[in-house]
Amino acid sequence: MDRGVVSEGAGRARRLRVAIVGAGPSGAALAILLAREGAAVTLFDDGRRPELLVGESLVPAVVPILRRLELEKETASFSRVKPGVSFVWSPTDRVSVTFNRFAPAVFPYAYNVPRPHFDDALLARAIASGVDYVTARAQLSASAGASAELQLGPETVAAAPGLSGRQPDLIVDATGRARHAARALGIPARLGPRKDVAHFAHFEGFSWDEAPGQVRIARGDAGWSWCIPLQERLSIGIVLGQDDAARLGRTPEERLERAIAIDPGLTAIVGQGRRVTDVGTYANYQLISERGYGRGWAMVGDAFGFVDPMLSPGVFLALRSSEQLADALTPWLRRHAVPSPAQLHSVLTSYAARQSEMLTAWLELVAYLYDGRLAALIQAGRSWMPENPGLAKRAMSTHIARHVGLLASGAATTSRYSRGLLRFLGRYGLRGVDPAHLAIR
Ligand SMILES: Cc1cc2nc3c(=O)[nH]c(=O)nc-3n(C[C@H](O)[C@H](O)[C@H](O)COP(=O)(O)OP(=O)(O)OC[C@H]3O[C@@H](n4cnc5c(N)ncnc54)[C@H](O)[C@@H]3O)c2cc1C
């Protein structure tokens, strides 16, 4: 290693100065974790909090992170406990999963959260942790400097007194799907295979046969739907290809209404209930950035990549990316040392490799649901299990279910063994069941 780099890094005893752009779950969580370790953190957000935000259903692996952020109790006060997920493949074929079945390997529950409220709680915790919060639409641009590839615009620096007119040591892009750094630097994204559109809204007065808080995912004639019970409301969303969506109607309201009307399961749930919000729309979201870091900057959360709403990994991936980046920087913060640009680059390189691996693993897992292999495996498993299975068959079935649970709960989505087992079963364990019949169009 270059000796100058070592002495520079070891000798600069001052606080690491970090600017985080975007105060959604990823940006706010990173701000909390870094500020706690002594970094000087400036957190920018444009202050946009629409009434409706997706990311309402969390996976169990989020709960330990909420505990670390000291936010579980508060989250519980405005959210609903989510005991599991029911997958409805057809009116006669459904599977209900409860997370406690996989405990202790998997956290036994998760939450369904009203997102704007959840984001506000995270932001308030960041401010209470000593973060310098600035309400401003931050500007980023390419920098010609040797140590930094990205810089904050002059108005952005001026808007943050905590920066004292200087660029920070590290800029973190947490702008979500806006992908501000990627746009400033022209970094392309690897797109996923689906080009879906989602429409969703909140309902009251609905009827609910599932366990309280249980999320319902149902395959439709085209695409799929979600029902996420919140404390007083039910979030209903439809996810389908752009052409199929256009066939349902012209406006998002018409499409959601029509999708509910033609789906007997959704019609029964909505019953006499009524929509109490506008209809929110999201489109074209499966993407992973080709590069998630560079000299003096990194991406976290959706800015780095977003997989798919299926299985609800988004907020977990956002929080986990921030946890990984904070943990990678913590040894420096604890020594009150600022890494040299080269040392920072090596920290960011390993962080980005881990986050890319995580995103790729989730994308692979989600594909099993869309192409029907997971449903086919469940059907094959049922036909393989007699009514009174022997010890060996029962143990085998528990083993397989546990590993699928580990993958889908976020507890071990990158586990080589669990992924290998699923790949093996997807290839050799279908026992003649054709996944194409169970695929989501
Ligand atoms: C249809 C759909 C359904 C989903 N459902 C779920 C689900 O059920 N469960 C789940 O876990 N995830 C879900 N997600 C994903 C989830 O919403 C995201 O993964 C999550 O919000 C990512 O958090 P983030 O902090 O990275 O970004 P965001 O939540 O997008 O936050 C980005 C923040 O940056 C701010 N910002 C943007 N540009 C600037 C700027 N220039 N200056 C200052 N501030 C800026 C924004 O205002 C915002 O506050 C879903 C996604 C989609 C598309």
Side-chain angles (χ1 to χ4, degrees):
M1 188 187 286
D2 180 321
R3 293 183 62 196
V5 162
V6 174
S7 63
E8 185 195 4
R12 286 202 288 167
R14 61 168 176 82
R15 293 172 83 196
L16 181 75
R17 298 162 64 252
V18 184
I20 302 170
V21 182
S26 60
L30 180 65
I32 296 168
L33 296 172
L34 291 180
R36 265 192 204 160
E37 294 294 344
V41 181
T42 303
L43 176 63
F44 294 94
D45 195 80
D46 55 15
R48 283 189 62 241
R49 280 277 191 279
E51 178 195 18
L52 277 183
L53 275 175
V54 281
E56 302 171 310
S57 161
L58 307 183
V59 293
V62 164
V63 185
I65 306 179
L66 292 181
R67 288 189 172 179
R68 181 172 174 190
L69 297 169
E70 294 170 16
L71 267 172
E72 189 193 352
K73 229 170 138 186
E74 190 177 348
T75 301
S77 73
F78 55 74
S79 306
R80 192 172 267 288
V81 170
K82 168 183 167 186
V85 185
S86 298
F87 293 96
V88 182
W89 308 114
S90 73
T92 54
D93 188 8
R94 54 182 295 143
V95 178
S96 283
V97 181
T98 48
F99 303 129
N100 65 8
R101 178 174 164 205
F102 310 111
V106 168
F107 206 83
Y109 60 86
Y111 289 102
N112 299 325
V113 300
R115 262 298 298 277
H117 201 148
F118 180 70
D119 288 18
D120 285 346
L122 273 160
L123 177 58
R125 179 53 49 94
I127 293 168
S129 308
V131 166
D132 187 11
Y133 175 63
V134 180
T135 309
R137 183 161 188 76
Q139 299 300 329
L140 295 173
S141 60
S143 158
S147 61
E149 190 184 6
L150 195 65
Q151 62 186 359
L152 298 171
E155 304 84 18
T156 305
V157 174
L163 290 174
S164 311
R166 287 176 300 144
Q167 293 289 329
D169 302 306
L170 173 64
I171 296 176
V172 179
D173 178 5
T175 58
R177 287 150 36 88
R179 300 183 69 241
H180 203 5
R183 284 175 209 274
L185 298 174
I187 298 174
R190 182 155 53 93
L191 301 183
R194 297 195 66 95
K195 306 281 176 282
D196 288 338
V197 60
H199 300 297
F200 82 115
H202 287 176
F203 291 75
E204 284 179 1
F206 53 94
S207 70
W208 193 245
D209 287 343
E210 302 275 351
Q214 183 86 353
V215 167
R216 177 185 188 273
I217 300 291
R219 189 166 71 115
D221 288 340
W224 58 279
S225 64
W226 78 63
C227 290
I228 302 174
L230 303 168
Q231 273 192 352
E232 311 293 340
R233 295 171 168 189
L234 183 69
S235 167
I236 300 183
I238 53 166
V239 180
L240 66 182
Q242 313 263 2
D243 291 347
D244 289 319
R247 274 192 279 278
L248 286 176
R250 206 174 43 80
T251 64
E253 290 74 17
E254 281 172 16
R255 293 173 181 181
L256 185 60
E257 213 168 279
R258 179 91 191 114
I260 292 170
I262 60 176
D263 181 318
L266 289 178
T267 307
I269 289 168
V270 172
Q272 299 307 307
R274 63 191 182 95
R275 176 160 66 79
V276 291
T277 61
D278 289 343
V279 177
T281 296
Y282 288 76
N284 281 349
Y285 32 72
Q286 283 191 325
L287 63 84
I288 301 178
S289 191
E290 297 241 329
R291 183 155 69 89
Y293 73 108
R295 280 176 287 117
W297 70 272
M299 297 164 174
V300 289
D302 274 13
F304 199 135
F306 175 61
V307 171
D308 198 88
M310 178 65 83
L311 292 177
S312 314
V315 171
F316 165 66
L317 284 164
L319 296 176
R320 187 77 189 110
S321 64
S322 296
E323 212 181 22
Q324 306 234 50
L325 181 54
D327 288 348
L329 290 166
T330 292
W332 294 94
L333 296 170
R334 294 213 170 139
R335 290 202 301 273
H336 306 288
V338 175
S340 69
Q343 288 163 331
L344 183 58
H345 199 70
S346 119
V347 166
L348 300 180
T349 305
S350 47
Y351 151 73
R354 277 199 297 277
Q355 188 61 14
S356 292
E357 186 193 3
M358 184 95 98
L359 287 160
T360 305
W362 275 100
L363 203 54
E364 180 184 350
L365 179 63
V366 159
Y368 279 82
L369 274 143
Y370 278 112
D371 66 18
R373 275 175 299 167
L374 198 62
L377 265 175
I378 292 168
Q379 279 200 1
R382 280 190 195 136
S383 72
W384 176 71
M385 288 282 272
E387 238 167 60
N388 290 309
L391 218 57
K393 276 200 170 183
R394 205 171 318 145
M396 179 92 83
S397 147
T398 306
H399 180 77
I400 293 169
R402 181 166 168 272
H403 281 279
V404 174
L406 282 169
L407 289 169
S409 66
T413 314
T414 52
S415 154
R416 280 181 65 181
Y417 177 78
S418 304
R419 289 171 78 187
L421 181 66
L422 190 59
R423 281 187 203 134
F424 178 84
L425 291 168
R427 193 167 301 160
Y428 304 110
L430 297 181
R431 297 171 53 84
V433 181
D434 182 2
H437 297 309
L438 296 159
I440 296 172
R441 207 176 91 200

